[in-house]
Amino acid sequence: MQASSLGQFSEALHERLGGLKALLDAIPAAVYTTDAEGRITGFNEAAVRFSGRVPRLGSDSWCVTWKLYRADGTPMPHDECPMAIALREGREVRGVTAIAERPDGTRVHFMPYPTLLRDARGKIVGAVNMLVDVSDQMRAEELRSRLAAMVDSSSDAIFSTSLDGVIRTWNRGAERLFGWSAAEAVGQPATIIIPEDRQAEDQEVLERIRRGETVSHLETVRVAKSGRLIDISLSVSPIRDAQGKIIGAARIPRDITERKHEEELRARLAAIVASSDDAIVGKSLDGVIRTWNRGAERIFGYRAEEAVGRHITLIIPDERRPEEDMVLARIRSGEVVDHFETVRRTKDGRLIDISLTVSPIRDPRGRVIGASKIARDISERKRMDALVRESEERLRSMVAGLRQADEKKDEFIALLAHELRNPISAIAVASDLLARSTIEDRKARFAVPAISRQVKQLRRLVDDLLNMARISTGKLALRKNPLELLAFAGRVVAARRATAASGIDIEVSGAPTWVEADSARLQQMIENGTLSVEDDGAGMSAATLTSLFKPFVQGEQPADREQHGLGLGLALVERLAVLHGGSVSAKSEGMGKGSTLTIVLPLAVRQAAPEAPTAARKAARRRVLVVEDEDDSREALKLLLETEGHEVAFTADGAKAIEEVARFRPDFALVDVGLPGMDGYEVARRVRELPEGKALKLIALTGFGGDKYRRRAEEAGFDLHVVKPISYEQLLRVFADA
């Protein structure tokens, strides 16, 4: 080529290169070139700004940057950068990101685009590389990743919808809250969780979002997959694209079901507190009043605005203030003060009795921050308690008085019976004596059995009176033994025939039956009633039947007939039947139609041989000492015994009785326990100390019956306890059994 042609080529090449340099500088991205060995041959201004330095042409290789790092932050040697790989391996490298560090320490995320340069023959003669700054994209992507992780791990439900309400995203919180999985929910309309009556509300929310508004803490209701309704607080924000256009809605529904329940509970409690008749007061741990309900206003007289903020000692009397320190100390330790009765002072100065219950108030972490106090006015209850105590005291006094009167009544009855039995005893012995004497006078022969019959009637009346008193006080004890009822009733009736009124015939019939019974009491029952008595007498009215077994009650009698007895016979029968485990009943068709009385007793195991009546035996001649202070009784008994052939000594004095035992050496001693001075019990005790008194049969004669007196006689040393009046038949049995 000629010189002129070569000059023209150089000028043209210079113009081209100059034009290329201008083009590179116009590109906003960093661009640089290298030769086939990787040496830097050119770069634009953007490359200088990107690398933070001016590359050195001919000596810098592979990349214009100061330092390089891989995307994971590990150092990247320059000869391993994408430009070096492209030149060595003869291929273009794409999709790689790296980090460049400037000399000032700042770093830039970038994506390289190395492109190989070839000559006409395809040989690599160099390369051009464009470094695109992707730092903003990386930061945005990192932010999106963080937000996505936060949304996915949030305990709140977070999901997004399009502006037409179609679900686009659905986090795990939404899965937990509504029960729909992300796969089930995404692509579905949001109405799958909106109750039908709330769907118009959701359209209003979307309309606000389209206007760019934010919906905050809208309290509403949503429905879970299971159909359960959920109270939620809903916040909704617009979603915008890169140009700021609204393209959807981000929704955060928060479950407030528990809070709603708590609010409802608090509202109910507040209503209860407000309407309670009790004073309900809240206070801090230092005793400052925080709340004060209408009940407190009513009880203590202070309005809420007067009490709140003041110390609780406002209503505590000075002498009771240590109580408040004790209460607050227990509250601080978490205890409950329950039904503590104390006194408080009202606004007008009155002292009132109250029952106090105080409980700790705790914050959400369980710390005690105050006290709730319920004070109940118990003044009226205290007054009633005092009245009750006073009434109880009066009642106890009345009961004690009645008991004392009852005891005096029993004592009087016992004393009356004793006093009656003494003369009855004398009459009974005298009639026995007359019955055993030869009497020629016809009038006397009539009088003696009449006296005997009336003595027995008197004795039965006295016994009935005493027995009723014992049964009423629970002091009558039964001595039950097996006995054959038919035979026993026959013996009792046989004895009664002798004293029956003229014209009355008594028959005994039935089957042999064994019962467990007290023979003495059963005899009383048969004498007063019967096991089953049927008569054709006067009968009984319905009114009489209803009260027949009450004490001192007698049926109606014709005008020409007298009332007989005390009205105790059937009352005794009924009570004795019950004591035997049985019952008694009465039946009558009415006045003039007769009556039937029936006694029911429990059966007993039949004995091997029926009880045979004991034949009367004549007692052997005995030496008998009679100790009796009542002259007629003593003399009659002495004469009766002597008539029967017994040798008798007698005295009216206890001390002389002891002397007579030593002198007379009796086989039997009949001792009246009611002697003046030294009583019969003391006589028995002293006699038992004498040699002559060891084998002596001591028999207590008394007008007092019952177990109490029987035990007393036994403890004193008596062998037998005999209740006056004593008959000669009794004496015969005593002498015969001795």
Side-chain angles (χ1 to χ4, degrees):
M1 183 179 291
Q2 295 181 352
S4 59
S5 297
L6 182 60
Q8 291 174 352
F9 175 77
S10 297
E11 288 177 2
L13 180 61
H14 181 72
E15 288 176 1
R16 282 189 175 185
L17 290 174
L20 180 61
K21 179 71 166 60
L23 178 63
L24 290 176
D25 287 339
I27 297 173
V31 179
Y32 69 94
T33 59
T34 68
D35 59 17
E37 283 73 32
R39 290 185 291 270
I40 305 297
T41 58
F43 53 86
N44 66 356
E45 288 299 322
V48 174
R49 290 193 299 273
F50 178 85
S51 63
R53 61 189 286 271
V54 178
R56 293 173 296 178
L57 297 177
S59 61
D60 287 350
S61 299
W62 311 116
C63 190
V64 295
T65 57
W66 184 51
K67 290 181 180 180
L68 285 172
Y69 298 90
R70 294 183 175 85
D72 63 3
T74 58
M76 177 191 291
H78 278 60
D79 59 1
E80 293 180 9
C81 72
M83 185 67 151
I85 293 172
L87 286 169
R88 278 200 300 269
E89 297 182 5
R91 64 181 178 85
E92 293 181 353
V93 179
R94 295 288 185 268
V96 178
T97 58
I99 302 171
E101 184 177 333
R102 300 185 180 111
D104 63 3
T106 59
R107 293 188 177 190
V108 183
H109 290 265
F110 70 95
M111 184 175 288
Y113 290 88
T115 302
L116 297 174
L117 299 176
R118 298 176 186 272
D119 60 14
R121 291 175 294 179
K123 181 181 177 182
I124 297 172
V125 295
V128 60
N129 196 4
M130 181 172 65
L131 307 180
V132 179
D133 186 348
V134 294
S135 296
D136 291 341
Q137 294 175 337
M138 293 296 289
R139 281 192 290 271
E141 184 63 30
E142 182 181 358
L143 179 60
R144 280 194 297 273
S145 297
R146 288 180 179 176
L147 287 174
M150 290 169 63
V151 167
D152 196 48
S153 62
S154 173
S155 59
D156 288 332
I158 302 174
F159 67 98
S160 64
T161 65
S162 62
L163 289 177
D164 56 359
V166 176
I167 298 171
R168 297 302 186 197
T169 61
W170 187 263
N171 78 335
R172 286 200 293 267
E175 290 182 337
R176 286 191 297 270
L177 181 58
F178 297 111
W180 298 94
S181 68
E184 293 173 315
V186 173
Q188 294 288 332
T191 52
I192 64 171
I193 62 168
I194 302 175
E196 189 173 343
D197 60 345
R198 299 280 181 162
Q199 292 186 7
E201 172 190 270
D202 196 60
Q203 290 302 316
E204 294 176 7
V205 169
L206 286 175
E207 187 59 38
R208 291 179 62 182
I209 293 300
R210 291 186 187 99
R211 295 197 299 266
E213 299 178 26
T214 296
V215 178
S216 298
H217 307 299
L218 172 65
E219 294 193 0
T220 183
V221 177
R222 291 294 180 261
V223 62
K225 183 178 181 181
S226 65
R228 179 174 60 93
L229 292 177
I230 309 168
D231 291 300
I232 65 164
S233 173
L234 180 65
S235 294
V236 189
S237 302
I239 298 176
R240 302 175 186 270
D241 63 11
Q243 288 73 43
K245 180 183 177 182
I246 297 172
I247 58 173
R251 308 182 186 224
I252 305 177
R254 179 164 292 169
D255 187 353
I256 59 171
T257 303
E258 185 175 344
R259 194 199 81 194
K260 281 284 189 181
H261 288 168
E262 290 176 355
E263 288 176 353
E264 182 180 351
L265 178 60
R266 281 197 294 271
R268 288 180 181 175
L269 288 175
I272 292 171
V273 167
S275 61
S276 175
D277 289 335
D278 293 332
I280 303 178
V281 178
K283 60 185 178 182
S284 64
L285 290 178
D286 55 1
V288 176
I289 298 169
R290 299 301 186 198
T291 61
W292 186 268
N293 76 333
R294 286 199 294 269
E297 292 181 339
R298 182 181 57 80
I299 291 175
F300 298 113
Y302 292 97
R303 298 191 309 276
E305 54 267 28
E306 294 177 301
V308 172
R310 298 181 68 177
H311 199 272
I312 196 65
T313 51
L314 174 71
I315 59 172
I316 301 176
D318 291 343
E319 67 275 11
R320 298 278 182 167
R321 291 192 178 185
E323 289 179 356
E324 180 65 12
D325 296 334
M326 176 274 293
V327 168
L328 286 175
R330 292 181 61 181
I331 292 299
R332 289 188 188 98
S333 64
E335 296 180 45
V336 173
V337 178
D338 199 17
H339 300 298
F340 177 63
E341 294 192 0
T342 183
V343 175
R344 291 295 180 261
R345 188 186 303 278
T346 64
K347 184 178 180 180
D348 59 10
R350 288 181 301 110
L351 294 177
I352 57 173
D353 292 297
I354 67 165
S355 174
L356 192 64
T357 296
V358 190
S359 304
I361 298 175
R362 300 178 185 271
D363 65 12
R365 289 180 289 178
R367 296 181 306 174
V368 177
I369 58 172
S372 174
K373 177 171 73 173
I374 300 176
R376 176 165 295 175
D377 186 349
I378 58 171
S379 301
E380 183 63 18
R381 196 201 78 191
K382 285 280 191 178
R383 189 180 70 82
M384 293 303 296
D385 287 348
L387 287 176
V388 169
R389 285 194 299 272
E390 184 180 344
S391 298
E392 287 176 347
E393 187 60 37
R394 285 202 300 268
L395 182 60
R396 278 193 293 269
S397 178
M398 290 173 62
V399 169
L402 289 172
R403 186 177 292 115
Q404 186 177 17
D406 192 53
E407 289 173 356
K408 288 185 178 298
K409 177 206 70 176
D410 290 343
E411 290 173 3
F412 171 75
I413 290 174
L415 182 61
L416 176 63
H418 179 267
E419 293 302 320
L420 287 173
R421 278 172 169 160
N422 278 328
I424 291 172
S425 181
I427 296 170
V429 173
S431 67
D432 279 345
L433 181 61
L434 288 173
R436 284 161 176 75
S437 303
T438 302
I439 301 175
E440 298 297 335
D441 188 275
R442 182 177 62 84
K443 294 179 181 179
R445 287 200 301 272
F446 162 78
V448 170
I451 292 170
S452 180
R453 286 194 301 271
Q454 295 308 314
V455 166
K456 289 179 180 178
Q457 177 67 5
L458 280 172
R459 177 175 182 174
R460 189 165 69 85
L461 290 175
V462 172
D463 287 346
D464 285 352
L465 189 62
L466 277 174
N467 287 329
M468 181 55 67
R470 290 177 193 150
I471 291 173
S472 298
T473 57
K475 297 177 180 178
L476 184 68
L478 298 181
R479 294 179 175 83
K480 294 193 289 185
N481 290 293
L483 59 84
E484 201 283 298
L485 194 55
L486 182 61
F488 182 82
R491 291 196 297 274
V492 174
V493 169
R496 290 290 290 169
R497 282 196 183 103
T499 60
S502 176
I504 295 179
D505 185 28
I506 306 174
E507 293 184 3
V508 178
S509 63
T513 305
W514 286 86
V515 295
E516 289 274 352
D518 183 320
S519 58
R521 305 308 173 192
L522 185 58
Q523 179 175 339
Q524 284 181 288
M525 293 162 70
I526 294 173
E527 288 175 345
N528 283 288
T530 190
L531 301 177
S532 182
V533 174
E534 187 171 342
D535 65 33
D536 57 359
M540 289 181 280
S541 67
T544 300
L545 285 171
T546 59
S547 58
L548 186 63
F549 298 109
K550 293 181 179 178
F552 307 109
V553 171
Q554 293 181 323
E556 300 92 336
Q557 298 288 347
D560 60 345
R561 291 186 59 186
E562 298 182 30
Q563 296 279 12
H564 291 282
L566 300 175
L568 291 174
L570 289 178
L572 272 172
V573 169
E574 190 266 343
R575 284 159 174 75
L576 288 171
V578 171
L579 286 174
H580 278 83
S583 62
V584 62
S585 61
K587 183 172 66 175
S588 176
E589 297 298 326
M591 296 301 292
K593 297 183 180 179
S595 305
T596 301
L597 298 171
T598 303
I599 298 170
V600 178
L601 296 174
L603 292 175
V605 178
R606 182 168 179 165
Q607 300 297 295
E611 180 183 321
T614 304
R617 295 173 291 176
K618 183 171 179 65
R621 186 172 182 274
R622 303 289 188 178
R623 293 168 65 84
V624 182
L625 173 63
V626 176
V627 184
E628 169 65 76
D629 66 315
E630 207 282 316
D631 296 339
D632 289 343
S633 294
R634 182 179 65 250
E635 189 63 29
L637 190 56
K638 171 181 175 296
L639 290 173
L640 178 61
L641 289 170
E642 288 177 341
T643 300
E644 294 300 317
H646 301 292
E647 185 178 352
V648 181
F650 61 89
T651 180
D653 180 83
K656 289 182 179 179
I658 297 171
E659 295 175 2
E660 282 297 306
V661 168
R663 181 193 68 78
F664 183 57
R665 297 178 178 269
D667 300 310
F668 291 88
L670 305 178
V671 182
D672 179 15
V673 298
L675 297 172
M678 183 188 298
D679 64 19
Y681 299 114
E682 183 61 25
V683 169
R685 280 190 286 271
R686 295 195 183 185
V687 164
R688 289 302 186 199
E689 295 174 356
L690 299 174
E692 297 83 1
K694 303 296 183 183
L696 173 63
K697 295 297 182 183
L698 279 173
I699 300 167
L701 297 180
T702 176
F704 297 103
D707 291 338
K708 171 183 174 182
Y709 296 102
R710 187 175 288 106
R711 282 195 303 272
R712 187 177 178 187
E714 183 179 346
E715 291 168 359
F718 283 104
D719 294 294
L720 288 175
H721 174 270
V722 177
V723 179
K724 295 178 181 180
I726 185 169
S727 67
Y728 188 69
E729 285 78 5
Q730 287 179 286
L731 288 175
L732 283 179
R733 286 195 294 271
V734 169
F735 294 163
D737 292 340

